[in-house]
Amino acid sequence: MNLEEKTLEKNTLFSGRIINLRRDTALLPNGATATREVVEHPGGVCVAALDDNENLLMVKQFRYPYMEVILEVPAGKRDKGGEDPLTCGKRELKEETGATAEHYVPLGELYPSPGYCDEIIHLFAAKGLTFGETCPDEDEFVAVEKIPLETAVQMVLNGEIKDAKTQVCILKLKALKERGLF
Amino acid sequence: MNLEEKTLEKNTLFSGRIINLRRDTALLPNGATATREVVEHPGGVCVAALDDNENLLMVKQFRYPYMEVILEVPAGKRDKGGEDPLTCGKRELKEETGATAEHYVPLGELYPSPGYCDEIIHLFAAKGLTFGETCPDEDEFVAVEKIPLETAVQMVLNGEIKDAKTQVCILKLKALKERGLF
C-alpha cells in the first residue's frame, strides 16, 4: 500500500525564536491534494541522569503553554546548524542542574507530535555524576529535584509525570536497568 | 522558588485547520518580559488495543513533517468543543482499524512538547476486540499491522518505534500487565 505524500508547494508563514510555521500543499497517494501545517523546530535533547544513590535529577519548570509547573528531565534545544545531540545534552544537564556525567547511554529518539511537528528529541541516560554551579539561560527558571528512580517510575505509571520525553526516559531507563544494561 | 509566568498580551498569528499559533508577551518571575510562542491544538487521544492473542493493533502512516512512514498506535484529534477523550478514542480505533473494544483502561495523559505546544494526548489501553469495517478520514491513509506486544516492547527499546505516545502506551501497557492490572 502506497502511503507516501509529495510536497507540491512550501509556504513559510512565520519564523520565530523557537519555531517556524509552514503551510504546504501536498500530493496524496490517491492523487488529491491537501494542505499540511508543519511546525519546524531545531530539535531537542534530554538527559535522564542518575546519581550514585539511584536518584534521578529532575527539574521543575513553568511551562507557559499549559500555565503549569511540571516535572521533567533536564532538556534543551539543539543550537541551529545541527548541533551534536550529546554535546547539547551535556550542556543542558550542566546548565540546569550543575551536573557533569562520566557515562552516557543513548535512549533513542522521540517524535513528540508527528502529525504537525518535525521536532526530534534525542534521549540519553547518564551516570557517574559530579556537581558544580548551575548556569540557566536568562529567561529560564528551574528548580532541581532529586527523585528516587523507583518513585519516578511510579509517578509515570500513576499519571503524575506528564511530559512525553520524561515518561519515555524513565520507563526506558528502568527497562535497561532490569536487563543489566545500565 | 517562584517559577510562575503571567500573560501580559496574547496575539494569535495564525488559525489553521489543525493548529493555531500565538506569540504572547509574558511576565517572568524576575519581573522581566519575554515572548512566548504557543502552538494551540485541540488535543488528541490514542488507543493501545490488544487482541486475544496479545497482539497490538498498530497503524503505519506517512507523517508529512518527517516525510517518513512511521508505526503508531491508532490516534486522532478531539473534535473542537472539548470532545470526551474516551468517545474520541473509540471513534479513532474504529475508523483506523475497524475494531471495537469491550474494555478500556486509561493510561494517563501526555504533554508532547511542553516548551511551545499546549496539546494534551489522552492514552488508553483496550481489549476484548471485535472487528468490522474501517472508515478512515478522506485525506488519511493508514495500513493496519498486528504486532505481538513483546515485539512492540523490543521495538521501543531498540529505537525502532519513535512516536512519543506509542512509546509511552507500549511501555505502560507492559508495566500494567506485569502488575496484573490489565
PDB file of all heavy atoms in Angstrom, chain A residues 140-174:
ATOM      1  N   GLU A 140      15.034  31.497  31.781  1.00  0.00           N
ATOM      2  CA  GLU A 140      14.677  30.136  32.166  1.00  0.00           C
ATOM      3  C   GLU A 140      14.797  30.016  33.680  1.00  0.00           C
ATOM      4  O   GLU A 140      15.846  30.332  34.241  1.00  0.00           O
ATOM      5  CB  GLU A 140      15.652  29.177  31.473  1.00  0.00           C
ATOM      6  CG  GLU A 140      15.219  27.741  31.441  1.00  0.00           C
ATOM      7  CD  GLU A 140      16.189  26.873  30.640  1.00  0.00           C
ATOM      8  OE1 GLU A 140      17.408  26.943  30.908  1.00  0.00           O
ATOM      9  OE2 GLU A 140      15.728  26.130  29.774  1.00  0.00           O
ATOM     10  N   PHE A 141      13.729  29.569  34.340  1.00  0.00           N
ATOM     11  CA  PHE A 141      13.732  29.446  35.791  1.00  0.00           C
ATOM     12  C   PHE A 141      13.385  28.000  36.135  1.00  0.00           C
ATOM     13  O   PHE A 141      12.274  27.556  35.879  1.00  0.00           O
ATOM     14  CB  PHE A 141      12.728  30.419  36.407  1.00  0.00           C
ATOM     15  CG  PHE A 141      13.027  31.842  36.050  1.00  0.00           C
ATOM     16  CD1 PHE A 141      12.571  32.390  34.861  1.00  0.00           C
ATOM     17  CD2 PHE A 141      13.831  32.614  36.884  1.00  0.00           C
ATOM     18  CE1 PHE A 141      12.886  33.702  34.506  1.00  0.00           C
ATOM     19  CE2 PHE A 141      14.151  33.915  36.546  1.00  0.00           C
ATOM     20  CZ  PHE A 141      13.675  34.456  35.356  1.00  0.00           C
ATOM     21  N   VAL A 142      14.349  27.281  36.701  1.00  0.00           N
ATOM     22  CA  VAL A 142      14.107  25.874  37.008  1.00  0.00           C
ATOM     23  C   VAL A 142      14.527  25.576  38.444  1.00  0.00           C
ATOM     24  O   VAL A 142      15.449  26.195  38.977  1.00  0.00           O
ATOM     25  CB  VAL A 142      14.873  24.928  36.047  1.00  0.00           C
ATOM     26  CG1 VAL A 142      14.501  25.186  34.597  1.00  0.00           C
ATOM     27  CG2 VAL A 142      16.374  25.043  36.215  1.00  0.00           C
ATOM     28  N   ALA A 143      13.820  24.629  39.063  1.00  0.00           N
ATOM     29  CA  ALA A 143      14.163  24.168  40.407  1.00  0.00           C
ATOM     30  C   ALA A 143      14.528  22.691  40.305  1.00  0.00           C
ATOM     31  O   ALA A 143      13.754  21.881  39.794  1.00  0.00           O
ATOM     32  CB  ALA A 143      12.967  24.346  41.344  1.00  0.00           C
ATOM     33  N   VAL A 144      15.737  22.342  40.744  1.00  0.00           N
ATOM     34  CA  VAL A 144      16.215  20.965  40.633  1.00  0.00           C
ATOM     35  C   VAL A 144      15.638  20.114  41.767  1.00  0.00           C
ATOM     36  O   VAL A 144      15.552  20.567  42.911  1.00  0.00           O
ATOM     37  CB  VAL A 144      17.760  20.930  40.683  1.00  0.00           C
ATOM     38  CG1 VAL A 144      18.276  19.499  40.572  1.00  0.00           C
ATOM     39  CG2 VAL A 144      18.349  21.799  39.585  1.00  0.00           C
ATOM     40  N   GLU A 145      15.217  18.898  41.457  1.00  0.00           N
ATOM     41  CA  GLU A 145      14.775  17.934  42.478  1.00  0.00           C
ATOM     42  C   GLU A 145      15.457  16.598  42.213  1.00  0.00           C
ATOM     43  O   GLU A 145      15.653  16.210  41.066  1.00  0.00           O
ATOM     44  CB  GLU A 145      13.262  17.720  42.410  1.00  0.00           C
ATOM     45  CG  GLU A 145      12.483  18.987  42.570  1.00  0.00           C
ATOM     46  CD  GLU A 145      11.144  18.766  43.280  1.00  0.00           C
ATOM     47  OE1 GLU A 145      10.728  17.597  43.441  1.00  0.00           O
ATOM     48  OE2 GLU A 145      10.529  19.769  43.671  1.00  0.00           O
ATOM     49  N   LYS A 146      15.800  15.907  43.302  1.00  0.00           N
ATOM     50  CA  LYS A 146      16.310  14.536  43.161  1.00  0.00           C
ATOM     51  C   LYS A 146      15.179  13.594  43.546  1.00  0.00           C
ATOM     52  O   LYS A 146      14.654  13.668  44.656  1.00  0.00           O
ATOM     53  CB  LYS A 146      17.504  14.312  44.087  1.00  0.00           C
ATOM     54  CG  LYS A 146      18.751  15.034  43.639  1.00  0.00           C
ATOM     55  CD  LYS A 146      19.931  14.641  44.529  1.00  0.00           C
ATOM     56  CE  LYS A 146      21.175  15.412  44.131  1.00  0.00           C
ATOM     57  NZ  LYS A 146      22.344  15.037  44.934  1.00  0.00           N
ATOM     58  N   ILE A 147      14.832  12.697  42.636  1.00  0.00           N
ATOM     59  CA  ILE A 147      13.713  11.786  42.879  1.00  0.00           C
ATOM     60  C   ILE A 147      14.207  10.355  42.712  1.00  0.00           C
ATOM     61  O   ILE A 147      14.795  10.031  41.670  1.00  0.00           O
ATOM     62  CB  ILE A 147      12.574  12.065  41.874  1.00  0.00           C
ATOM     63  CG1 ILE A 147      12.266  13.560  41.857  1.00  0.00           C
ATOM     64  CG2 ILE A 147      11.367  11.178  42.141  1.00  0.00           C
ATOM     65  CD1 ILE A 147      10.859  13.957  42.051  1.00  0.00           C
ATOM     66  N   PRO A 148      13.989   9.483  43.710  1.00  0.00           N
ATOM     67  CA  PRO A 148      14.411   8.094  43.548  1.00  0.00           C
ATOM     68  C   PRO A 148      13.811   7.493  42.273  1.00  0.00           C
ATOM     69  O   PRO A 148      12.622   7.732  41.984  1.00  0.00           O
ATOM     70  CB  PRO A 148      13.845   7.407  44.793  1.00  0.00           C
ATOM     71  CG  PRO A 148      13.683   8.508  45.801  1.00  0.00           C
ATOM     72  CD  PRO A 148      13.336   9.723  45.009  1.00  0.00           C
ATOM     73  N   LEU A 149      14.611   6.734  41.535  1.00  0.00           N
ATOM     74  CA  LEU A 149      14.143   6.191  40.253  1.00  0.00           C
ATOM     75  C   LEU A 149      12.835   5.422  40.423  1.00  0.00           C
ATOM     76  O   LEU A 149      11.916   5.562  39.614  1.00  0.00           O
ATOM     77  CB  LEU A 149      15.225   5.294  39.626  1.00  0.00           C
ATOM     78  CG  LEU A 149      14.829   4.640  38.304  1.00  0.00           C
ATOM     79  CD1 LEU A 149      14.489   5.678  37.238  1.00  0.00           C
ATOM     80  CD2 LEU A 149      15.935   3.717  37.795  1.00  0.00           C
ATOM     81  N   GLU A 150      12.738   4.616  41.483  1.00  0.00           N
ATOM     82  CA  GLU A 150      11.513   3.826  41.681  1.00  0.00           C
ATOM     83  C   GLU A 150      10.295   4.728  41.884  1.00  0.00           C
ATOM     84  O   GLU A 150       9.199   4.418  41.413  1.00  0.00           O
ATOM     85  CB  GLU A 150      11.673   2.880  42.873  1.00  0.00           C
ATOM     86  CG  GLU A 150      12.498   1.643  42.570  1.00  0.00           C
ATOM     87  CD  GLU A 150      12.015   0.898  41.312  1.00  0.00           C
ATOM     88  OE1 GLU A 150      10.793   0.715  41.164  1.00  0.00           O
ATOM     89  OE2 GLU A 150      12.866   0.538  40.477  1.00  0.00           O
ATOM     90  N   THR A 151      10.493   5.846  42.600  1.00  0.00           N
ATOM     91  CA  THR A 151       9.400   6.816  42.779  1.00  0.00           C
ATOM     92  C   THR A 151       9.023   7.431  41.441  1.00  0.00           C
ATOM     93  O   THR A 151       7.829   7.594  41.123  1.00  0.00           O
ATOM     94  CB  THR A 151       9.837   7.930  43.749  1.00  0.00           C
ATOM     95  OG1 THR A 151      10.293   7.334  44.953  1.00  0.00           O
ATOM     96  CG2 THR A 151       8.697   8.896  44.047  1.00  0.00           C
ATOM     97  N   ALA A 152      10.033   7.763  40.649  1.00  0.00           N
ATOM     98  CA  ALA A 152       9.776   8.358  39.336  1.00  0.00           C
ATOM     99  C   ALA A 152       8.977   7.400  38.452  1.00  0.00           C
ATOM    100  O   ALA A 152       8.047   7.812  37.747  1.00  0.00           O
ATOM    101  CB  ALA A 152      11.095   8.746  38.671  1.00  0.00           C
ATOM    102  N   VAL A 153       9.327   6.103  38.490  1.00  0.00           N
ATOM    103  CA  VAL A 153       8.573   5.100  37.707  1.00  0.00           C
ATOM    104  C   VAL A 153       7.110   5.094  38.154  1.00  0.00           C
ATOM    105  O   VAL A 153       6.190   5.127  37.323  1.00  0.00           O
ATOM    106  CB  VAL A 153       9.194   3.693  37.860  1.00  0.00           C
ATOM    107  CG1 VAL A 153       8.287   2.626  37.254  1.00  0.00           C
ATOM    108  CG2 VAL A 153      10.573   3.640  37.224  1.00  0.00           C
ATOM    109  N   GLN A 154       6.884   5.099  39.475  1.00  0.00           N
ATOM    110  CA  GLN A 154       5.511   5.138  39.987  1.00  0.00           C
ATOM    111  C   GLN A 154       4.789   6.403  39.543  1.00  0.00           C
ATOM    112  O   GLN A 154       3.598   6.365  39.207  1.00  0.00           O
ATOM    113  CB  GLN A 154       5.509   5.073  41.526  1.00  0.00           C
ATOM    114  CG  GLN A 154       5.709   3.675  42.077  1.00  0.00           C
ATOM    115  CD  GLN A 154       4.758   2.661  41.442  1.00  0.00           C
ATOM    116  OE1 GLN A 154       3.567   2.901  41.295  1.00  0.00           O
ATOM    117  NE2 GLN A 154       5.297   1.514  41.045  1.00  0.00           N
ATOM    118  N   MET A 155       5.496   7.523  39.531  1.00  0.00           N
ATOM    119  CA  MET A 155       4.875   8.801  39.127  1.00  0.00           C
ATOM    120  C   MET A 155       4.503   8.805  37.644  1.00  0.00           C
ATOM    121  O   MET A 155       3.552   9.475  37.234  1.00  0.00           O
ATOM    122  CB  MET A 155       5.820   9.964  39.442  1.00  0.00           C
ATOM    123  CG  MET A 155       5.976  10.218  40.934  1.00  0.00           C
ATOM    124  SD  MET A 155       7.270  11.457  41.291  1.00  0.00           S
ATOM    125  CE  MET A 155       6.362  12.974  40.955  1.00  0.00           C
ATOM    126  N   VAL A 156       5.269   8.058  36.838  1.00  0.00           N
ATOM    127  CA  VAL A 156       4.869   7.913  35.428  1.00  0.00           C
ATOM    128  C   VAL A 156       3.620   7.039  35.349  1.00  0.00           C
ATOM    129  O   VAL A 156       2.639   7.395  34.685  1.00  0.00           O
ATOM    130  CB  VAL A 156       6.004   7.289  34.583  1.00  0.00           C
ATOM    131  CG1 VAL A 156       5.511   6.954  33.181  1.00  0.00           C
ATOM    132  CG2 VAL A 156       7.196   8.223  34.524  1.00  0.00           C
ATOM    133  N   LEU A 157       3.645   5.913  36.065  1.00  0.00           N
ATOM    134  CA  LEU A 157       2.532   4.950  35.942  1.00  0.00           C
ATOM    135  C   LEU A 157       1.232   5.500  36.523  1.00  0.00           C
ATOM    136  O   LEU A 157       0.155   5.178  36.040  1.00  0.00           O
ATOM    137  CB  LEU A 157       2.899   3.619  36.605  1.00  0.00           C
ATOM    138  CG  LEU A 157       4.063   2.862  35.952  1.00  0.00           C
ATOM    139  CD1 LEU A 157       4.319   1.545  36.678  1.00  0.00           C
ATOM    140  CD2 LEU A 157       3.812   2.607  34.461  1.00  0.00           C
ATOM    141  N   ASN A 158       1.329   6.329  37.562  1.00  0.00           N
ATOM    142  CA  ASN A 158       0.085   6.869  38.135  1.00  0.00           C
ATOM    143  C   ASN A 158      -0.316   8.223  37.525  1.00  0.00           C
ATOM    144  O   ASN A 158      -1.284   8.839  37.985  1.00  0.00           O
ATOM    145  CB  ASN A 158       0.155   6.937  39.667  1.00  0.00           C
ATOM    146  CG  ASN A 158       1.121   8.005  40.162  1.00  0.00           C
ATOM    147  OD1 ASN A 158       1.449   8.940  39.445  1.00  0.00           O
ATOM    148  ND2 ASN A 158       1.567   7.861  41.393  1.00  0.00           N
ATOM    149  N   GLY A 159       0.420   8.661  36.509  1.00  0.00           N
ATOM    150  CA  GLY A 159      -0.013   9.845  35.755  1.00  0.00           C
ATOM    151  C   GLY A 159       0.479  11.180  36.290  1.00  0.00           C
ATOM    152  O   GLY A 159       0.097  12.224  35.771  1.00  0.00           O
ATOM    153  N   GLU A 160       1.346  11.168  37.310  1.00  0.00           N
ATOM    154  CA  GLU A 160       1.829  12.445  37.867  1.00  0.00           C
ATOM    155  C   GLU A 160       2.861  13.124  36.975  1.00  0.00           C
ATOM    156  O   GLU A 160       3.028  14.337  37.034  1.00  0.00           O
ATOM    157  CB  GLU A 160       2.470  12.217  39.243  1.00  0.00           C
ATOM    158  CG  GLU A 160       1.502  12.108  40.387  1.00  0.00           C
ATOM    159  CD  GLU A 160       2.256  11.864  41.682  1.00  0.00           C
ATOM    160  OE1 GLU A 160       2.823  12.816  42.237  1.00  0.00           O
ATOM    161  OE2 GLU A 160       2.302  10.686  42.131  1.00  0.00           O
ATOM    162  N   ILE A 161       3.589  12.337  36.206  1.00  0.00           N
ATOM    163  CA  ILE A 161       4.571  12.899  35.269  1.00  0.00           C
ATOM    164  C   ILE A 161       3.953  12.861  33.878  1.00  0.00           C
ATOM    165  O   ILE A 161       3.618  11.792  33.377  1.00  0.00           O
ATOM    166  CB  ILE A 161       5.902  12.125  35.327  1.00  0.00           C
ATOM    167  CG1 ILE A 161       6.596  12.411  36.664  1.00  0.00           C
ATOM    168  CG2 ILE A 161       6.805  12.503  34.162  1.00  0.00           C
ATOM    169  CD1 ILE A 161       7.867  11.645  36.894  1.00  0.00           C
ATOM    170  N   LYS A 162       3.793  14.029  33.267  1.00  0.00           N
ATOM    171  CA  LYS A 162       3.041  14.104  32.012  1.00  0.00           C
ATOM    172  C   LYS A 162       3.913  14.355  30.794  1.00  0.00           C
ATOM    173  O   LYS A 162       3.535  14.017  29.679  1.00  0.00           O
ATOM    174  CB  LYS A 162       1.987  15.197  32.133  1.00  0.00           C
ATOM    175  CG  LYS A 162       1.008  14.871  33.258  1.00  0.00           C
ATOM    176  CD  LYS A 162      -0.243  15.685  33.211  1.00  0.00           C
ATOM    177  CE  LYS A 162      -1.212  15.173  34.276  1.00  0.00           C
ATOM    178  NZ  LYS A 162      -2.285  16.122  34.546  1.00  0.00           N
ATOM    179  N   ASP A 163       5.070  14.942  30.996  1.00  0.00           N
ATOM    180  CA  ASP A 163       5.929  15.273  29.865  1.00  0.00           C
ATOM    181  C   ASP A 163       6.339  14.003  29.117  1.00  0.00           C
ATOM    182  O   ASP A 163       6.814  13.027  29.709  1.00  0.00           O
ATOM    183  CB  ASP A 163       7.175  15.998  30.389  1.00  0.00           C
ATOM    184  CG  ASP A 163       8.166  16.267  29.293  1.00  0.00           C
ATOM    185  OD1 ASP A 163       7.764  16.763  28.229  1.00  0.00           O
ATOM    186  OD2 ASP A 163       9.356  15.963  29.490  1.00  0.00           O
ATOM    187  N   ALA A 164       6.208  14.042  27.784  1.00  0.00           N
ATOM    188  CA  ALA A 164       6.441  12.846  26.969  1.00  0.00           C
ATOM    189  C   ALA A 164       7.869  12.311  27.096  1.00  0.00           C
ATOM    190  O   ALA A 164       8.079  11.133  27.391  1.00  0.00           O
ATOM    191  CB  ALA A 164       6.133  13.154  25.501  1.00  0.00           C
ATOM    192  N   LYS A 165       8.857  13.174  26.873  1.00  0.00           N
ATOM    193  CA  LYS A 165      10.259  12.704  26.895  1.00  0.00           C
ATOM    194  C   LYS A 165      10.632  12.155  28.259  1.00  0.00           C
ATOM    195  O   LYS A 165      11.411  11.208  28.374  1.00  0.00           O
ATOM    196  CB  LYS A 165      11.216  13.829  26.470  1.00  0.00           C
ATOM    197  CG  LYS A 165      11.237  15.022  27.423  1.00  0.00           C
ATOM    198  CD  LYS A 165      12.104  16.167  26.896  1.00  0.00           C
ATOM    199  CE  LYS A 165      12.013  17.391  27.811  1.00  0.00           C
ATOM    200  NZ  LYS A 165      10.656  17.959  27.972  1.00  0.00           N
ATOM    201  N   THR A 166      10.065  12.765  29.322  1.00  0.00           N
ATOM    202  CA  THR A 166      10.371  12.330  30.680  1.00  0.00           C
ATOM    203  C   THR A 166       9.763  10.951  30.945  1.00  0.00           C
ATOM    204  O   THR A 166      10.416  10.083  31.542  1.00  0.00           O
ATOM    205  CB  THR A 166       9.855  13.383  31.681  1.00  0.00           C
ATOM    206  OG1 THR A 166      10.450  14.640  31.353  1.00  0.00           O
ATOM    207  CG2 THR A 166      10.198  13.007  33.111  1.00  0.00           C
ATOM    208  N   GLN A 167       8.521  10.731  30.503  1.00  0.00           N
ATOM    209  CA  GLN A 167       7.899   9.414  30.671  1.00  0.00           C
ATOM    210  C   GLN A 167       8.727   8.343  29.952  1.00  0.00           C
ATOM    211  O   GLN A 167       9.000   7.274  30.512  1.00  0.00           O
ATOM    212  CB  GLN A 167       6.466   9.419  30.109  1.00  0.00           C
ATOM    213  CG  GLN A 167       5.490  10.307  30.878  1.00  0.00           C
ATOM    214  CD  GLN A 167       4.027  10.024  30.527  1.00  0.00           C
ATOM    215  OE1 GLN A 167       3.606   8.862  30.468  1.00  0.00           O
ATOM    216  NE2 GLN A 167       3.252  11.057  30.305  1.00  0.00           N
ATOM    217  N   VAL A 168       9.118   8.640  28.719  1.00  0.00           N
ATOM    218  CA  VAL A 168       9.860   7.637  27.936  1.00  0.00           C
ATOM    219  C   VAL A 168      11.226   7.381  28.561  1.00  0.00           C
ATOM    220  O   VAL A 168      11.644   6.218  28.724  1.00  0.00           O
ATOM    221  CB  VAL A 168       9.988   8.089  26.462  1.00  0.00           C
ATOM    222  CG1 VAL A 168      10.933   7.168  25.698  1.00  0.00           C
ATOM    223  CG2 VAL A 168       8.612   8.112  25.798  1.00  0.00           C
ATOM    224  N   CYS A 169      11.946   8.439  28.952  1.00  0.00           N
ATOM    225  CA  CYS A 169      13.275   8.269  29.564  1.00  0.00           C
ATOM    226  C   CYS A 169      13.187   7.392  30.809  1.00  0.00           C
ATOM    227  O   CYS A 169      14.011   6.485  30.991  1.00  0.00           O
ATOM    228  CB  CYS A 169      13.851   9.618  29.974  1.00  0.00           C
ATOM    229  SG  CYS A 169      14.710  10.483  28.660  1.00  0.00           S
ATOM    230  N   ILE A 170      12.234   7.675  31.668  1.00  0.00           N
ATOM    231  CA  ILE A 170      12.145   6.941  32.932  1.00  0.00           C
ATOM    232  C   ILE A 170      11.814   5.471  32.684  1.00  0.00           C
ATOM    233  O   ILE A 170      12.447   4.570  33.263  1.00  0.00           O
ATOM    234  CB  ILE A 170      11.101   7.610  33.861  1.00  0.00           C
ATOM    235  CG1 ILE A 170      11.641   8.966  34.339  1.00  0.00           C
ATOM    236  CG2 ILE A 170      10.748   6.706  35.039  1.00  0.00           C
ATOM    237  CD1 ILE A 170      10.617   9.823  35.061  1.00  0.00           C
ATOM    238  N   LEU A 171      10.852   5.203  31.806  1.00  0.00           N
ATOM    239  CA  LEU A 171      10.468   3.807  31.566  1.00  0.00           C
ATOM    240  C   LEU A 171      11.562   3.041  30.827  1.00  0.00           C
ATOM    241  O   LEU A 171      11.788   1.854  31.085  1.00  0.00           O
ATOM    242  CB  LEU A 171       9.135   3.745  30.805  1.00  0.00           C
ATOM    243  CG  LEU A 171       7.928   4.314  31.577  1.00  0.00           C
ATOM    244  CD1 LEU A 171       6.661   4.247  30.717  1.00  0.00           C
ATOM    245  CD2 LEU A 171       7.693   3.580  32.901  1.00  0.00           C
ATOM    246  N   LYS A 172      12.283   3.713  29.923  1.00  0.00           N
ATOM    247  CA  LYS A 172      13.387   3.035  29.228  1.00  0.00           C
ATOM    248  C   LYS A 172      14.566   2.791  30.160  1.00  0.00           C
ATOM    249  O   LYS A 172      15.199   1.729  30.113  1.00  0.00           O
ATOM    250  CB  LYS A 172      13.847   3.863  28.023  1.00  0.00           C
ATOM    251  CG  LYS A 172      12.954   3.728  26.803  1.00  0.00           C
ATOM    252  CD  LYS A 172      13.630   4.368  25.592  1.00  0.00           C
ATOM    253  CE  LYS A 172      12.887   4.023  24.318  1.00  0.00           C
ATOM    254  NZ  LYS A 172      13.454   4.726  23.144  1.00  0.00           N
ATOM    255  N   LEU A 173      14.877   3.782  30.985  1.00  0.00           N
ATOM    256  CA  LEU A 173      15.982   3.640  31.939  1.00  0.00           C
ATOM    257  C   LEU A 173      15.704   2.466  32.883  1.00  0.00           C
ATOM    258  O   LEU A 173      16.589   1.636  33.154  1.00  0.00           O
ATOM    259  CB  LEU A 173      16.135   4.955  32.712  1.00  0.00           C
ATOM    260  CG  LEU A 173      17.244   5.064  33.751  1.00  0.00           C
ATOM    261  CD1 LEU A 173      18.581   4.659  33.183  1.00  0.00           C
ATOM    262  CD2 LEU A 173      17.322   6.507  34.278  1.00  0.00           C
ATOM    263  N   LYS A 174      14.463   2.394  33.353  1.00  0.00           N
ATOM    264  CA  LYS A 174      14.052   1.283  34.217  1.00  0.00           C
ATOM    265  C   LYS A 174      14.228  -0.066  33.495  1.00  0.00           C
ATOM    266  O   LYS A 174      14.764  -1.036  34.074  1.00  0.00           O
ATOM    267  CB  LYS A 174      12.584   1.502  34.623  1.00  0.00           C
ATOM    268  CG  LYS A 174      11.900   0.350  35.292  1.00  0.00           C
ATOM    269  CD  LYS A 174      12.357   0.184  36.725  1.00  0.00           C
ATOM    270  CE  LYS A 174      11.527  -0.888  37.431  1.00  0.00           C
ATOM    271  NZ  LYS A 174      12.184  -1.324  38.664  1.00  0.00           N
TER     272      LYS A 174
END
